[in-house]
């Protein structure tokens, strides 16, 4: 195995192939605090890509309630248990990645879901930790909690699916870092299904090959965000490009959120894949749980996020979420307005920091009627 | 092979033929002997197999390249062979307590393959799938392919009988079933089929012709020339594989052959397999 550098764990690690980063890397930020688990993203993906035979059970995008929701069942718990203790020393992960923990004869540490594990994609929906007793009320601390975790393929920098495939049927596109399974070459060994810790590759029973989220690359190639992003009614998602930390640019929206503000964090960075979907962690969840899920910077990220009302740049950029179907390569705030630009520097969106509001009086004196709040 | 292991082999061999035939074939311990016959047998039950020498090929773990098989399963594959001077037929049988022919997540089919050097030369390429510029030809049979060839429908209900499917876009009322437009639409939702991946079917032949130049390099042969069929009975598989003689292999000559067996219930797939090293193969000729 080669030695590669994974900035998310602050150190080198072994990987099946040498470090070879794409010209640019597709990345995304999801704000978990805004997700309402309406599954519109799930359906947008389903109807676009997985309506075929053998794809019936597949959800390239899914939203699960944490901590009791899973698709497939216990996808994270199974691996966390196999991996053992996962310790951090500051921002350096001192535990083992799934590449370091691979058992003899294996390329990565993984496990194989069975069909029954995919049979209940909404298991645990809205199930609350600690329950809600009669008379319970919010008093500043969330005694009961859950949150929604929307998931797609992370188009990892060091994909375990790609490392697992013994015949090189999985590749990472040099132009955008999107990870794809070559449907002409795959022979359906399901090593990728076993190897991907996020369980975002799926075996198609009817075609005998494995398939996965393609980040809607035909849209990306046209400068547009994927279907699950633009259909999100909660506007929790933002797609773009991420740089290595040392090359981060504050005018790149993803860089700003991930590298500058450090408000968005990778999912299970300790697995070692350098996943490229970043999550703004939920504010209402015990920190121990979030630390395991998003790594050691959770406290700082939440503090930054909660300070957004006083941070015009951060709150400004968050207003660009869900504001346009186009990919926003650069952004800028000028006083109370936030602008998004495409790769050519053309302005594609302009959003006010605060939407203008007008409050109507409850009584319409001109018509002599009371207004009702129904429309 | 010592006396004790010969006795084990004899037991294995006789167990396989109990109830199938009354005559046990002769043993060929050191090589696979392809007997010359004018007409090749067309089934695994053909009585010709009663007199064709049987080579019990010991299977080894594939423990050379990752992912490896770390726990053994199938111990022996029993090999018989017949040639007509143009083609060569193999009857491969092995014990298997479970019939695995359903595909699915985490589910794999029983399978067997034979491998021959693409060029018949004095030295053979590496037994592990050949090597660069020294390809091997692989004839691969799968129980999943066999079930489809036997008539299992190309439909999710054939695997999950109680599956409920709301709608497939390519079965919309506006599309005439079987029309070119409808089939084109269906292909759009089966990318592996659109790319004519031979794994994707639909298929009538349970056998694939493949080429390889080392581990991880397997690819479809330019032409599909082999055929065969497998049957499961009495706790084991018997599979007939018929393929052309490799380039340069002549009746009366010699070459090498290797085998691999996958036990589906043991999660064996791809490189996770039981396999043999090269085994000498003598080709009979017309007298």
């Amino acid at each position: 195995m080669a030695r590669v550098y994974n900035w998310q764990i602050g150190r080198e690690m072994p990987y099946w192939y040498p470090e070879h980063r794409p010209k640019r890397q597709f990345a995304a930020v999801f704000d978990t605090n805004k997700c309402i688990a309406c599954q519109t993203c799930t359906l947008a993906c389903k109807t676009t890509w997985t309506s075929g035979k053998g794809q019936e059970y597949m959800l390239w995008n899914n939203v699960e309630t944490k901590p009791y929701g899973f698709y497939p069942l216990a996808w994270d718990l199974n691996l966390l248990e196999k991996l053992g203790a996962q310790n951090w020393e500051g921002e350096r992960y001192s535990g083992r990645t799934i590449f370091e923990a691979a058992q003899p004869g294996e390329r990565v540490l993984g496990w194989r879901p069975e069909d029954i594990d995919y049979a209940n994609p909404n298991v645990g929906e809205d199930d609350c930790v600690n329950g809600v007793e009669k008379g319970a009320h919010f008093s500043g601390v969330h005694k009961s909690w859950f949150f929604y975790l929307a998931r797609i393929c992370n188009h990892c920098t060091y994909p375990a699916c790609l490392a697992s495939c013994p015949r090189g049927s999985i590749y990472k596109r040099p132009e955008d870092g999107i990870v794809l399974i070559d449907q002409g070459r795959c022979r359906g060994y399901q090593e990728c299904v076993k190897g991907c810790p996020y369980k975002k590759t799926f075996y198609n029973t009817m075609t005998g090959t494995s398939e996965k989220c393609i980040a809607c690359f035909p849209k990306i190639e046209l400068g547009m965000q994927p279907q699950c992003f633009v259909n999100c009614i909660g506007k929790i998602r933002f797609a773009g490009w991420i740089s290595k930390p040392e090359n981060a640019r504050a005018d790149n929206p993803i860089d700003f959120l991930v590298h500058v503000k450090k408000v968005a964090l990778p999912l299970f960075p300790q697995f070692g894949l350098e996943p490229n979907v970043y999550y703004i962690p939920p504010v209402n969840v015990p920190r121990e749980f979030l630390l395991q899920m998003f790594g050691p910077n959770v406290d700082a990220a939440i503090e930054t996020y909660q300070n957004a009302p006083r941070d015009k740049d951060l709150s400004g950029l968050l207003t660009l979420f869900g504001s346009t179907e186009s990919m926003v390569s650069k952004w800028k705030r000028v006083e109370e307005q936030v602008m998004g630009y495409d790769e050519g520097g053309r302005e594609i969106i302009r959003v006010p920091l605060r939407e203008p509001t007008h409050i109507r009086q409850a009584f319409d004196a001109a018509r002599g009627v009371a207004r009702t709040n129904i429309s | 092979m010592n006396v004790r292991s010969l006795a084990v082999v004899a037991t294995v061999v006789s167990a396989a033929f109990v109830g199938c035939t009354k005559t046990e074939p002769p043993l060929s311990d050191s090589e696979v002997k392809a007997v010359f016959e004018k007409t090749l047998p067309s089934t695994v039950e053909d009585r010709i197999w009663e007199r064709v020498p049987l080579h019990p090929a010991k299977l080894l773990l594939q423990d050379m390249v990752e992912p490896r098989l770390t726990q053994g399963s199938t111990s022996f594959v029993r090999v018989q062979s017949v040639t007509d001077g143009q083609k060569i037929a193999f009857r491969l049988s092995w014990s298997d307590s479970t019939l695995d022919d359903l595909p699915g997540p985490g589910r794999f089919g029983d399978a067997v393959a034979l491998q021959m050097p693409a060029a018949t030369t004095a030295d053979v390429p590496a037994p592990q799938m050949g090597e660069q510029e020294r390809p091997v030809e692989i004839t691969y049979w799968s129980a999943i392919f066999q079930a489809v060839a036997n008539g299992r429908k190309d439909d999710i209900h054939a695997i999950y009988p109680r599956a409920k499917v709301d709608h497939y876009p390519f079965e919309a009322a506006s599309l005439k079933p079987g029309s070119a437009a409808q089939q084109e639409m269906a292909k759009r939702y089966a990318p592996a089929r659109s790319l004519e991946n031979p794994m994707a079917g639909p298929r009538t032949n349970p056998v694939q012709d493949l080429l390889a130049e080392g581990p991880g390099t397997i690819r479809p042969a330019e032409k599909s020339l082999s055929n065969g069929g497998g049957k499961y009975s009495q706790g084991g598989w018997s599979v007939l594989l018929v393929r052309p003689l490799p380039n340069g292999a002549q009746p009366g000559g010699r070459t090498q052959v290797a085998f691999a067996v996958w036990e589906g219930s043991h999660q064996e797939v791809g490189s996770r397999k039981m396999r043999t090293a090269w085994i000498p193969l003598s080709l009979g000729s017309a007298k």
Side-chain angles (χ1 to χ4, degrees), chain A residues 30 32 35 37 62-66 75-76 147-151 267-268 279 293-294:
Chain A
F30 290 6
T32 60
C35 181
N62 78 291
V63 184
E64 56 202 42
T65 303
K66 282 296 176 200
W75 65 269
D76 44 359
F147 71 101
Y148 299 124
L149 187 70
R151 302 200 300 119
L267 180 62
F268 293 119
Y279 291 87
M293 186 168 266
F294 299 114

Side-chain angles (χ1 to χ4, degrees), chain A residues 16-172:
Chain A
W16 200 255
Y17 299 104
E19 183 170 350
H20 189 71
R21 289 175 187 261
K23 287 177 193 145
R24 59 180 183 173
Q25 175 62 58
F26 167 79
V29 170
F30 290 6
D31 185 349
T32 60
N33 297 286
K34 293 179 183 170
C35 181
I36 58 169
C38 65
Q39 308 284 1
T40 311
C41 50
T42 307
L43 266 291
C45 176
K46 187 77 193 156
T47 52
T48 306
W49 297 116
T50 57
S51 297
K53 288 186 177 180
Q55 298 176 320
E56 294 84 353
Y57 80 98
M58 282 186 206
L59 299 172
W60 291 356
N61 177 106
N62 78 291
V63 184
E64 56 202 42
T65 303
K66 282 296 176 200
Y68 299 126
F70 315 90
Y71 171 79
L73 199 65
W75 65 269
D76 44 359
L77 300 186
N78 278 338
L79 189 63
L80 290 167
E81 188 171 15
K82 280 177 177 289
L83 198 54
Q86 300 135 48
N87 295 316
W88 293 83
E89 293 167 5
E91 293 191 5
R92 186 180 185 279
Y93 177 56
S94 55
R96 296 180 307 168
T97 67
I98 64 168
F99 306 108
E100 290 158 337
Q103 290 161 339
E106 302 290 328
R107 293 185 172 204
V108 304
L109 178 70
W111 67 281
R112 264 202 184 99
E114 297 177 3
D115 48 8
I116 196 72
D117 296 322
Y118 296 97
N120 299 284
N122 232 5
V123 66
E125 185 188 32
D126 291 357
D127 277 357
C128 211
V129 175
N130 296 329
V132 181
E133 300 299 327
K134 187 177 178 184
H137 59 282
F138 180 62
S139 56
V141 177
H142 292 273
K143 292 176 184 167
S144 304
W145 62 275
F146 66 79
F147 71 101
Y148 299 124
L149 187 70
R151 302 200 300 119
I152 61 172
C153 167
N154 288 291
H155 297 279
C156 304
T157 303
Y158 303 114
C161 61
L162 190 155
S164 300
C165 181
R167 47 186 282 96
S169 299
I170 302 182
Y171 61 105
K172 190 167 174 64

Side-chain angles (χ1 to χ4, degrees), chain A residues 203-222:
Chain A
Y203 179 69
N204 183 320
T205 300
M206 303 314 294
T207 64
T209 59
S210 296
E211 301 175 353
K212 67 179 286 298
C213 159
I214 59 172
C216 292
F217 70 81
K219 291 191 75 182
I220 298 267
E221 289 170 2
L222 296 173

